[in-house]
Amino acid sequence: MVEAVVFNKEQNRLELLDQTLLPVETRTVFCSTEHDTAKAIVSMQVRGAPAIGVAAAYGIVLGLNNPQNHARPFLEAFKAICDLLAATRPTAVNLFWAIARIKKAVKNAGCTDFSGAATVALPEADKIRAEDIEMCRSIGRFGASLLQSGDTWLTHCNAGALATAGYGTALGVFRAAQEEGKNFKVFVDETRPLLQGARLTAWELMQEKIDATLICDNMAGSLIRDGKVQGVVVGADRITAHGFVANKIGTYPLAVLAKYNGVPFYVAAPDSTFDLTIKYGEEIKIEERDHDEVRYIGGQQIAPKDIKVYNPAFDVTPPELITAIITNKGIIRPIYRDTIPEFIKPERFEAAE
Ligand code: MRU
């Protein structure tokens, strides 16, 4: 299984599989400082909610080890490192959760200098990474119980090993179902504008020898209406206390389609994706990205250079359209404000900023 985020302790560097180049080229990006890490997150060389959280955690370690920061007072520099990484992408709560976890570990250990803080931050980042893989495996096991042999499911964007520390959330469901010997097929939405489905999910599923078929985003409707899809499963970037789910743009229309056609619509996410400090979708900040992501595909201009563009990276799906949320703690169904706290405990999420 692919590992998209690896920390090389001997070299003191973060090694990321460059997700902007896949599947055409397999190249590693080396991050030696917090600035390199922030750049890799903004440019989406590393992407996916859990993966950017793990990368940011290691980015703090790199910042603490960066001699350029050592001339500044420790607390001031530590805050600047964390703020830099927190400013990279606004929607996925896992980023803020991971940064807050490192901050808390450093604070609780009473660290007052860079090397002491790095000694605490590195094992905490390792823990975040290891726990993420475990949570994905658990999501996979719960999710696989919903998939019957003979089913065809649809997924959107990439919620796979590439988007996490390993194994994946939505794709973890497929991995687990395959491990259980189930026979099934997957339709993969290409996921414009950045084509995470076509480039990353298609690549991952083929590597796992899972039967995958790529479709353009506008084909999902007729496939679902024609009874060719028995389930839809997607990942999430932030889930509110009342079950509103932010995920890749195009998730909400899929949920509407699924509901209209009586097909179950599942969200797969670890507890680090829940933000219990907010209740409603409107409270989630939706990232807007560069307009050229819409005007160009793979560097090829496909629209007038100066055409006006709107490019939100995520949308919000309300709980009434979601059949269940598959978490590492179990399957939440139905989804409303009273069911989520039975699975997800708020004290772990005080950290969300
Ligand atoms: O903009 P991206 O590629 O980071 O968006 C990723 C998604 O929307 C994923 O579905 C989500 O982060 C879940 S990843 C397990």
Side-chain angles (χ1 to χ4, degrees), residues 44 47-50 89 156-160 163-164 169 196 234-237 247-248 287 313-314:
M44 293 174 65
R47 35 87 24 222
R89 296 192 72 189
H156 188 69
C157 193
N158 173 267
T164 59
T169 56
Q196 289 93 329
V234 297
D237 286 84
N247 190 50
K248 180 52 55 196
E287 177 183 12
F314 302 96

mmCIF file with all atom_site columns, all heavy atoms in Angstrom, residues 44 47-50 89 156-160 163-164 169 196 234-237 247-248 287 313-314, ligand 1:
data_model
loop_
_atom_site.group_PDB
_atom_site.id
_atom_site.type_symbol
_atom_site.label_atom_id
_atom_site.label_alt_id
_atom_site.label_comp_id
_atom_site.label_asym_id
_atom_site.label_entity_id
_atom_site.label_seq_id
_atom_site.pdbx_PDB_ins_code
_atom_site.Cartn_x
_atom_site.Cartn_y
_atom_site.Cartn_z
_atom_site.occupancy
_atom_site.B_iso_or_equiv
_atom_site.pdbx_formal_charge
_atom_site.auth_seq_id
_atom_site.auth_comp_id
_atom_site.auth_asym_id
_atom_site.auth_atom_id
_atom_site.pdbx_PDB_model_num
ATOM   1   N N   . MET A 1 44  ? -0.877  21.373 -2.964 1.00 0.00 ? 44  MET A N   1
ATOM   2   C CA  . MET A 1 44  ? -1.548  20.071 -3.000 1.00 0.00 ? 44  MET A CA  1
ATOM   3   C C   . MET A 1 44  ? -0.642  18.946 -3.489 1.00 0.00 ? 44  MET A C   1
ATOM   4   O O   . MET A 1 44  ? -1.123  17.939 -4.011 1.00 0.00 ? 44  MET A O   1
ATOM   5   C CB  . MET A 1 44  ? -2.865  20.148 -3.784 1.00 0.00 ? 44  MET A CB  1
ATOM   6   C CG  . MET A 1 44  ? -3.870  21.012 -3.043 1.00 0.00 ? 44  MET A CG  1
ATOM   7   S SD  . MET A 1 44  ? -5.401  21.339 -3.912 1.00 0.00 ? 44  MET A SD  1
ATOM   8   C CE  . MET A 1 44  ? -6.116  19.716 -4.027 1.00 0.00 ? 44  MET A CE  1
ATOM   9   N N   . ARG A 1 47  ? -2.290  16.181 -0.090 1.00 0.00 ? 47  ARG A N   1
ATOM   10  C CA  . ARG A 1 47  ? -3.679  16.654 0.023  1.00 0.00 ? 47  ARG A CA  1
ATOM   11  C C   . ARG A 1 47  ? -4.520  15.538 0.606  1.00 0.00 ? 47  ARG A C   1
ATOM   12  O O   . ARG A 1 47  ? -4.067  14.415 0.778  1.00 0.00 ? 47  ARG A O   1
ATOM   13  C CB  . ARG A 1 47  ? -4.243  17.185 -1.316 1.00 0.00 ? 47  ARG A CB  1
ATOM   14  C CG  . ARG A 1 47  ? -3.804  16.507 -2.555 1.00 0.00 ? 47  ARG A CG  1
ATOM   15  C CD  . ARG A 1 47  ? -4.559  15.286 -3.056 1.00 0.00 ? 47  ARG A CD  1
ATOM   16  N NE  . ARG A 1 47  ? -5.904  15.098 -2.686 1.00 0.00 ? 47  ARG A NE  1
ATOM   17  C CZ  . ARG A 1 47  ? -6.410  13.923 -2.330 1.00 0.00 ? 47  ARG A CZ  1
ATOM   18  N NH1 . ARG A 1 47  ? -5.632  12.824 -2.295 1.00 0.00 ? 47  ARG A NH1 1
ATOM   19  N NH2 . ARG A 1 47  ? -7.666  13.799 -2.009 1.00 0.00 ? 47  ARG A NH2 1
ATOM   20  N N   . GLY A 1 48  ? -5.776  15.898 0.920  1.00 0.00 ? 48  GLY A N   1
ATOM   21  C CA  . GLY A 1 48  ? -6.645  14.962 1.633  1.00 0.00 ? 48  GLY A CA  1
ATOM   22  C C   . GLY A 1 48  ? -6.571  15.332 3.109  1.00 0.00 ? 48  GLY A C   1
ATOM   23  O O   . GLY A 1 48  ? -5.474  15.554 3.641  1.00 0.00 ? 48  GLY A O   1
ATOM   24  N N   . ALA A 1 49  ? -7.738  15.376 3.762  1.00 0.00 ? 49  ALA A N   1
ATOM   25  C CA  . ALA A 1 49  ? -7.814  15.939 5.116  1.00 0.00 ? 49  ALA A CA  1
ATOM   26  C C   . ALA A 1 49  ? -6.840  15.291 6.114  1.00 0.00 ? 49  ALA A C   1
ATOM   27  O O   . ALA A 1 49  ? -6.017  15.983 6.731  1.00 0.00 ? 49  ALA A O   1
ATOM   28  C CB  . ALA A 1 49  ? -9.257  15.881 5.609  1.00 0.00 ? 49  ALA A CB  1
ATOM   29  N N   . PRO A 1 50  ? -6.873  13.961 6.296  1.00 0.00 ? 50  PRO A N   1
ATOM   30  C CA  . PRO A 1 50  ? -5.960  13.388 7.286  1.00 0.00 ? 50  PRO A CA  1
ATOM   31  C C   . PRO A 1 50  ? -4.488  13.563 6.895  1.00 0.00 ? 50  PRO A C   1
ATOM   32  O O   . PRO A 1 50  ? -3.634  13.830 7.752  1.00 0.00 ? 50  PRO A O   1
ATOM   33  C CB  . PRO A 1 50  ? -6.353  11.906 7.330  1.00 0.00 ? 50  PRO A CB  1
ATOM   34  C CG  . PRO A 1 50  ? -7.768  11.874 6.821  1.00 0.00 ? 50  PRO A CG  1
ATOM   35  C CD  . PRO A 1 50  ? -7.821  12.951 5.778  1.00 0.00 ? 50  PRO A CD  1
ATOM   36  N N   . ARG A 1 89  ? -4.511  25.732 4.363  1.00 0.00 ? 89  ARG A N   1
ATOM   37  C CA  . ARG A 1 89  ? -5.807  25.400 3.767  1.00 0.00 ? 89  ARG A CA  1
ATOM   38  C C   . ARG A 1 89  ? -6.867  25.497 4.872  1.00 0.00 ? 89  ARG A C   1
ATOM   39  O O   . ARG A 1 89  ? -6.653  25.000 5.975  1.00 0.00 ? 89  ARG A O   1
ATOM   40  C CB  . ARG A 1 89  ? -5.792  23.981 3.150  1.00 0.00 ? 89  ARG A CB  1
ATOM   41  C CG  . ARG A 1 89  ? -4.799  23.865 1.984  1.00 0.00 ? 89  ARG A CG  1
ATOM   42  C CD  . ARG A 1 89  ? -5.001  22.579 1.198  1.00 0.00 ? 89  ARG A CD  1
ATOM   43  N NE  . ARG A 1 89  ? -6.225  22.607 0.407  1.00 0.00 ? 89  ARG A NE  1
ATOM   44  C CZ  . ARG A 1 89  ? -6.714  21.550 -0.238 1.00 0.00 ? 89  ARG A CZ  1
ATOM   45  N NH1 . ARG A 1 89  ? -6.087  20.382 -0.163 1.00 0.00 ? 89  ARG A NH1 1
ATOM   46  N NH2 . ARG A 1 89  ? -7.830  21.644 -0.942 1.00 0.00 ? 89  ARG A NH2 1
ATOM   47  N N   . HIS A 1 156 ? -16.114 9.627  -5.085 1.00 0.00 ? 156 HIS A N   1
ATOM   48  C CA  . HIS A 1 156 ? -15.793 10.951 -5.622 1.00 0.00 ? 156 HIS A CA  1
ATOM   49  C C   . HIS A 1 156 ? -14.489 11.421 -5.006 1.00 0.00 ? 156 HIS A C   1
ATOM   50  O O   . HIS A 1 156 ? -14.217 11.143 -3.843 1.00 0.00 ? 156 HIS A O   1
ATOM   51  C CB  . HIS A 1 156 ? -16.942 11.903 -5.237 1.00 0.00 ? 156 HIS A CB  1
ATOM   52  C CG  . HIS A 1 156 ? -16.879 13.254 -5.870 1.00 0.00 ? 156 HIS A CG  1
ATOM   53  N ND1 . HIS A 1 156 ? -17.086 13.454 -7.215 1.00 0.00 ? 156 HIS A ND1 1
ATOM   54  C CD2 . HIS A 1 156 ? -16.633 14.479 -5.343 1.00 0.00 ? 156 HIS A CD2 1
ATOM   55  C CE1 . HIS A 1 156 ? -16.986 14.747 -7.481 1.00 0.00 ? 156 HIS A CE1 1
ATOM   56  N NE2 . HIS A 1 156 ? -16.701 15.390 -6.359 1.00 0.00 ? 156 HIS A NE2 1
ATOM   57  N N   . CYS A 1 157 ? -13.702 12.143 -5.767 1.00 0.00 ? 157 CYS A N   1
ATOM   58  C CA  . CYS A 1 157 ? -12.414 12.673 -5.307 1.00 0.00 ? 157 CYS A CA  1
ATOM   59  C C   . CYS A 1 157 ? -11.487 11.526 -4.924 1.00 0.00 ? 157 CYS A C   1
ATOM   60  O O   . CYS A 1 157 ? -11.593 10.423 -5.474 1.00 0.00 ? 157 CYS A O   1
ATOM   61  C CB  . CYS A 1 157 ? -12.608 13.654 -4.142 1.00 0.00 ? 157 CYS A CB  1
ATOM   62  S SG  . CYS A 1 157 ? -11.122 14.626 -3.758 1.00 0.00 ? 157 CYS A SG  1
ATOM   63  N N   . ASN A 1 158 ? -10.584 11.758 -3.986 1.00 0.00 ? 158 ASN A N   1
ATOM   64  C CA  . ASN A 1 158 ? -9.711  10.676 -3.509 1.00 0.00 ? 158 ASN A CA  1
ATOM   65  C C   . ASN A 1 158 ? -9.702  10.690 -1.997 1.00 0.00 ? 158 ASN A C   1
ATOM   66  O O   . ASN A 1 158 ? -9.205  11.636 -1.379 1.00 0.00 ? 158 ASN A O   1
ATOM   67  C CB  . ASN A 1 158 ? -8.275  10.821 -4.031 1.00 0.00 ? 158 ASN A CB  1
ATOM   68  C CG  . ASN A 1 158 ? -7.358  9.789  -3.387 1.00 0.00 ? 158 ASN A CG  1
ATOM   69  O OD1 . ASN A 1 158 ? -6.723  10.058 -2.371 1.00 0.00 ? 158 ASN A OD1 1
ATOM   70  N ND2 . ASN A 1 158 ? -7.318  8.586  -3.938 1.00 0.00 ? 158 ASN A ND2 1
ATOM   71  N N   . ALA A 1 159 ? -10.287 9.665  -1.421 1.00 0.00 ? 159 ALA A N   1
ATOM   72  C CA  . ALA A 1 159 ? -10.255 9.471  0.035  1.00 0.00 ? 159 ALA A CA  1
ATOM   73  C C   . ALA A 1 159 ? -9.560  8.137  0.282  1.00 0.00 ? 159 ALA A C   1
ATOM   74  O O   . ALA A 1 159 ? -10.081 7.237  0.926  1.00 0.00 ? 159 ALA A O   1
ATOM   75  C CB  . ALA A 1 159 ? -11.671 9.497  0.598  1.00 0.00 ? 159 ALA A CB  1
ATOM   76  N N   . GLY A 1 160 ? -8.364  8.034  -0.264 1.00 0.00 ? 160 GLY A N   1
ATOM   77  C CA  . GLY A 1 160 ? -7.626  6.775  -0.212 1.00 0.00 ? 160 GLY A CA  1
ATOM   78  C C   . GLY A 1 160 ? -6.377  6.856  0.634  1.00 0.00 ? 160 GLY A C   1
ATOM   79  O O   . GLY A 1 160 ? -6.216  7.770  1.456  1.00 0.00 ? 160 GLY A O   1
ATOM   80  N N   . ALA A 1 163 ? -4.668  10.130 0.584  1.00 0.00 ? 163 ALA A N   1
ATOM   81  C CA  . ALA A 1 163 ? -5.288  11.243 1.303  1.00 0.00 ? 163 ALA A CA  1
ATOM   82  C C   . ALA A 1 163 ? -5.167  11.099 2.821  1.00 0.00 ? 163 ALA A C   1
ATOM   83  O O   . ALA A 1 163 ? -5.654  11.943 3.569  1.00 0.00 ? 163 ALA A O   1
ATOM   84  C CB  . ALA A 1 163 ? -6.766  11.326 0.915  1.00 0.00 ? 163 ALA A CB  1
ATOM   85  N N   . THR A 1 164 ? -4.543  10.020 3.246  1.00 0.00 ? 164 THR A N   1
ATOM   86  C CA  . THR A 1 164 ? -4.436  9.716  4.679  1.00 0.00 ? 164 THR A CA  1
ATOM   87  C C   . THR A 1 164 ? -2.986  9.269  4.959  1.00 0.00 ? 164 THR A C   1
ATOM   88  O O   . THR A 1 164 ? -2.143  9.308  4.061  1.00 0.00 ? 164 THR A O   1
ATOM   89  C CB  . THR A 1 164 ? -5.395  8.556  5.041  1.00 0.00 ? 164 THR A CB  1
ATOM   90  O OG1 . THR A 1 164 ? -5.039  7.409  4.241  1.00 0.00 ? 164 THR A OG1 1
ATOM   91  C CG2 . THR A 1 164 ? -6.852  8.901  4.770  1.00 0.00 ? 164 THR A CG2 1
ATOM   92  N N   . THR A 1 169 ? -10.034 6.221  3.762  1.00 0.00 ? 169 THR A N   1
ATOM   93  C CA  . THR A 1 169 ? -11.332 6.182  4.444  1.00 0.00 ? 169 THR A CA  1
ATOM   94  C C   . THR A 1 169 ? -12.362 5.553  3.505  1.00 0.00 ? 169 THR A C   1
ATOM   95  O O   . THR A 1 169 ? -12.686 4.372  3.647  1.00 0.00 ? 169 THR A O   1
ATOM   96  C CB  . THR A 1 169 ? -11.739 7.597  4.894  1.00 0.00 ? 169 THR A CB  1
ATOM   97  O OG1 . THR A 1 169 ? -11.749 8.473  3.762  1.00 0.00 ? 169 THR A OG1 1
ATOM   98  C CG2 . THR A 1 169 ? -10.794 8.128  5.959  1.00 0.00 ? 169 THR A CG2 1
ATOM   99  N N   . GLN A 1 196 ? -8.783  14.600 -8.905 1.00 0.00 ? 196 GLN A N   1
ATOM   100 C CA  . GLN A 1 196 ? -8.262  13.643 -7.914 1.00 0.00 ? 196 GLN A CA  1
ATOM   101 C C   . GLN A 1 196 ? -8.817  12.238 -8.152 1.00 0.00 ? 196 GLN A C   1
ATOM   102 O O   . GLN A 1 196 ? -8.165  11.254 -7.817 1.00 0.00 ? 196 GLN A O   1
ATOM   103 C CB  . GLN A 1 196 ? -8.629  14.101 -6.490 1.00 0.00 ? 196 GLN A CB  1
ATOM   104 C CG  . GLN A 1 196 ? -7.882  15.319 -6.000 1.00 0.00 ? 196 GLN A CG  1
ATOM   105 C CD  . GLN A 1 196 ? -8.645  16.591 -6.285 1.00 0.00 ? 196 GLN A CD  1
ATOM   106 O OE1 . GLN A 1 196 ? -9.384  16.696 -7.256 1.00 0.00 ? 196 GLN A OE1 1
ATOM   107 N NE2 . GLN A 1 196 ? -8.488  17.577 -5.428 1.00 0.00 ? 196 GLN A NE2 1
ATOM   108 N N   . VAL A 1 234 ? -18.033 8.498  0.125  1.00 0.00 ? 234 VAL A N   1
ATOM   109 C CA  . VAL A 1 234 ? -17.071 9.592  -0.051 1.00 0.00 ? 234 VAL A CA  1
ATOM   110 C C   . VAL A 1 234 ? -16.364 9.838  1.283  1.00 0.00 ? 234 VAL A C   1
ATOM   111 O O   . VAL A 1 234 ? -16.815 9.363  2.332  1.00 0.00 ? 234 VAL A O   1
ATOM   112 C CB  . VAL A 1 234 ? -17.791 10.900 -0.489 1.00 0.00 ? 234 VAL A CB  1
ATOM   113 C CG1 . VAL A 1 234 ? -18.456 10.741 -1.844 1.00 0.00 ? 234 VAL A CG1 1
ATOM   114 C CG2 . VAL A 1 234 ? -18.799 11.348 0.570  1.00 0.00 ? 234 VAL A CG2 1
ATOM   115 N N   . GLY A 1 235 ? -15.292 10.609 1.246  1.00 0.00 ? 235 GLY A N   1
ATOM   116 C CA  . GLY A 1 235 ? -14.611 11.019 2.474  1.00 0.00 ? 235 GLY A CA  1
ATOM   117 C C   . GLY A 1 235 ? -15.200 12.321 2.983  1.00 0.00 ? 235 GLY A C   1
ATOM   118 O O   . GLY A 1 235 ? -16.286 12.737 2.555  1.00 0.00 ? 235 GLY A O   1
ATOM   119 N N   . ALA A 1 236 ? -14.491 12.969 3.906  1.00 0.00 ? 236 ALA A N   1
ATOM   120 C CA  . ALA A 1 236 ? -14.963 14.245 4.449  1.00 0.00 ? 236 ALA A CA  1
ATOM   121 C C   . ALA A 1 236 ? -13.781 15.087 4.892  1.00 0.00 ? 236 ALA A C   1
ATOM   122 O O   . ALA A 1 236 ? -12.734 14.561 5.266  1.00 0.00 ? 236 ALA A O   1
ATOM   123 C CB  . ALA A 1 236 ? -15.902 14.008 5.628  1.00 0.00 ? 236 ALA A CB  1
ATOM   124 N N   . ASP A 1 237 ? -13.983 16.388 4.828  1.00 0.00 ? 237 ASP A N   1
ATOM   125 C CA  . ASP A 1 237 ? -12.953 17.332 5.305  1.00 0.00 ? 237 ASP A CA  1
ATOM   126 C C   . ASP A 1 237 ? -13.313 17.941 6.649  1.00 0.00 ? 237 ASP A C   1
ATOM   127 O O   . ASP A 1 237 ? -12.435 18.377 7.396  1.00 0.00 ? 237 ASP A O   1
ATOM   128 C CB  . ASP A 1 237 ? -12.740 18.432 4.269  1.00 0.00 ? 237 ASP A CB  1
ATOM   129 C CG  . ASP A 1 237 ? -11.967 17.869 3.085  1.00 0.00 ? 237 ASP A CG  1
ATOM   130 O OD1 . ASP A 1 237 ? -12.599 17.280 2.201  1.00 0.00 ? 237 ASP A OD1 1
ATOM   131 O OD2 . ASP A 1 237 ? -10.722 17.971 3.100  1.00 0.00 ? 237 ASP A OD2 1
ATOM   132 N N   . ASN A 1 247 ? -17.031 18.281 1.981  1.00 0.00 ? 247 ASN A N   1
ATOM   133 C CA  . ASN A 1 247 ? -16.142 17.390 1.222  1.00 0.00 ? 247 ASN A CA  1
ATOM   134 C C   . ASN A 1 247 ? -15.953 18.004 -0.164 1.00 0.00 ? 247 ASN A C   1
ATOM   135 O O   . ASN A 1 247 ? -16.532 19.057 -0.488 1.00 0.00 ? 247 ASN A O   1
ATOM   136 C CB  . ASN A 1 247 ? -16.723 15.975 1.146  1.00 0.00 ? 247 ASN A CB  1
ATOM   137 C CG  . ASN A 1 247 ? -15.720 14.980 0.577  1.00 0.00 ? 247 ASN A CG  1
ATOM   138 O OD1 . ASN A 1 247 ? -14.577 14.924 1.029  1.00 0.00 ? 247 ASN A OD1 1
ATOM   139 N ND2 . ASN A 1 247 ? -16.106 14.223 -0.431 1.00 0.00 ? 247 ASN A ND2 1
ATOM   140 N N   . LYS A 1 248 ? -15.149 17.358 -0.970 1.00 0.00 ? 248 LYS A N   1
ATOM   141 C CA  . LYS A 1 248 ? -14.807 17.868 -2.303 1.00 0.00 ? 248 LYS A CA  1
ATOM   142 C C   . LYS A 1 248 ? -16.030 18.351 -3.072 1.00 0.00 ? 248 LYS A C   1
ATOM   143 O O   . LYS A 1 248 ? -17.080 17.701 -3.062 1.00 0.00 ? 248 LYS A O   1
ATOM   144 C CB  . LYS A 1 248 ? -14.086 16.753 -3.080 1.00 0.00 ? 248 LYS A CB  1
ATOM   145 C CG  . LYS A 1 248 ? -13.644 17.102 -4.480 1.00 0.00 ? 248 LYS A CG  1
ATOM   146 C CD  . LYS A 1 248 ? -12.829 18.367 -4.566 1.00 0.00 ? 248 LYS A CD  1
ATOM   147 C CE  . LYS A 1 248 ? -11.614 18.365 -3.664 1.00 0.00 ? 248 LYS A CE  1
ATOM   148 N NZ  . LYS A 1 248 ? -11.038 19.734 -3.480 1.00 0.00 ? 248 LYS A NZ  1
ATOM   149 N N   . GLU A 1 287 ? -12.789 26.714 1.141  1.00 0.00 ? 287 GLU A N   1
ATOM   150 C CA  . GLU A 1 287 ? -11.632 27.232 0.409  1.00 0.00 ? 287 GLU A CA  1
ATOM   151 C C   . GLU A 1 287 ? -12.012 27.563 -1.033 1.00 0.00 ? 287 GLU A C   1
ATOM   152 O O   . GLU A 1 287 ? -12.690 26.787 -1.696 1.00 0.00 ? 287 GLU A O   1
ATOM   153 C CB  . GLU A 1 287 ? -10.543 26.145 0.415  1.00 0.00 ? 287 GLU A CB  1
ATOM   154 C CG  . GLU A 1 287 ? -9.307  26.504 -0.370 1.00 0.00 ? 287 GLU A CG  1
ATOM   155 C CD  . GLU A 1 287 ? -8.276  25.351 -0.379 1.00 0.00 ? 287 GLU A CD  1
ATOM   156 O OE1 . GLU A 1 287 ? -8.627  24.221 0.018  1.00 0.00 ? 287 GLU A OE1 1
ATOM   157 O OE2 . GLU A 1 287 ? -7.146  25.607 -0.790 1.00 0.00 ? 287 GLU A OE2 1
ATOM   158 N N   . ALA A 1 313 ? -13.536 24.845 -3.525 1.00 0.00 ? 313 ALA A N   1
ATOM   159 C CA  . ALA A 1 313 ? -12.930 23.500 -3.519 1.00 0.00 ? 313 ALA A CA  1
ATOM   160 C C   . ALA A 1 313 ? -13.810 22.461 -2.821 1.00 0.00 ? 313 ALA A C   1
ATOM   161 O O   . ALA A 1 313 ? -13.591 21.258 -2.989 1.00 0.00 ? 313 ALA A O   1
ATOM   162 C CB  . ALA A 1 313 ? -11.560 23.561 -2.859 1.00 0.00 ? 313 ALA A CB  1
ATOM   163 N N   . PHE A 1 314 ? -14.783 22.919 -2.038 1.00 0.00 ? 314 PHE A N   1
ATOM   164 C CA  . PHE A 1 314 ? -15.594 21.982 -1.251 1.00 0.00 ? 314 PHE A CA  1
ATOM   165 C C   . PHE A 1 314 ? -17.056 22.418 -1.272 1.00 0.00 ? 314 PHE A C   1
ATOM   166 O O   . PHE A 1 314 ? -17.357 23.581 -1.555 1.00 0.00 ? 314 PHE A O   1
ATOM   167 C CB  . PHE A 1 314 ? -15.102 21.950 0.212  1.00 0.00 ? 314 PHE A CB  1
ATOM   168 C CG  . PHE A 1 314 ? -13.644 21.547 0.316  1.00 0.00 ? 314 PHE A CG  1
ATOM   169 C CD1 . PHE A 1 314 ? -12.648 22.502 0.395  1.00 0.00 ? 314 PHE A CD1 1
ATOM   170 C CD2 . PHE A 1 314 ? -13.280 20.207 0.292  1.00 0.00 ? 314 PHE A CD2 1
ATOM   171 C CE1 . PHE A 1 314 ? -11.300 22.132 0.449  1.00 0.00 ? 314 PHE A CE1 1
ATOM   172 C CE2 . PHE A 1 314 ? -11.943 19.829 0.345  1.00 0.00 ? 314 PHE A CE2 1
ATOM   173 C CZ  . PHE A 1 314 ? -10.956 20.794 0.426  1.00 0.00 ? 314 PHE A CZ  1
HETATM 174 O O1  . MRU B 2 .   ? -8.741  19.269 -2.104 1.00 0.00 ? 1   MRU B O1  1
HETATM 175 P P1  . MRU B 2 .   ? -8.410  17.888 -1.615 1.00 0.00 ? 1   MRU B P1  1
HETATM 176 O O2  . MRU B 2 .   ? -7.913  16.987 -2.693 1.00 0.00 ? 1   MRU B O2  1
HETATM 177 O O3  . MRU B 2 .   ? -7.495  17.934 -0.412 1.00 0.00 ? 1   MRU B O3  1
HETATM 178 O O4  . MRU B 2 .   ? -9.795  17.311 -1.128 1.00 0.00 ? 1   MRU B O4  1
HETATM 179 C C1  . MRU B 2 .   ? -9.845  16.040 -0.570 1.00 0.00 ? 1   MRU B C1  1
HETATM 180 C C2  . MRU B 2 .   ? -11.220 15.581 -0.250 1.00 0.00 ? 1   MRU B C2  1
HETATM 181 O O5  . MRU B 2 .   ? -12.184 16.269 -0.423 1.00 0.00 ? 1   MRU B O5  1
HETATM 182 C C3  . MRU B 2 .   ? -11.324 14.228 0.395  1.00 0.00 ? 1   MRU B C3  1
HETATM 183 O O6  . MRU B 2 .   ? -12.528 13.614 0.059  1.00 0.00 ? 1   MRU B O6  1
HETATM 184 C C4  . MRU B 2 .   ? -11.275 14.411 1.919  1.00 0.00 ? 1   MRU B C4  1
HETATM 185 O O7  . MRU B 2 .   ? -10.162 15.165 2.288  1.00 0.00 ? 1   MRU B O7  1
HETATM 186 C C5  . MRU B 2 .   ? -11.247 13.119 2.636  1.00 0.00 ? 1   MRU B C5  1
HETATM 187 S S1  . MRU B 2 .   ? -9.698  12.316 2.486  1.00 0.00 ? 1   MRU B S1  1
HETATM 188 C C6  . MRU B 2 .   ? -9.718  10.911 3.416  1.00 0.00 ? 1   MRU B C6  1
#
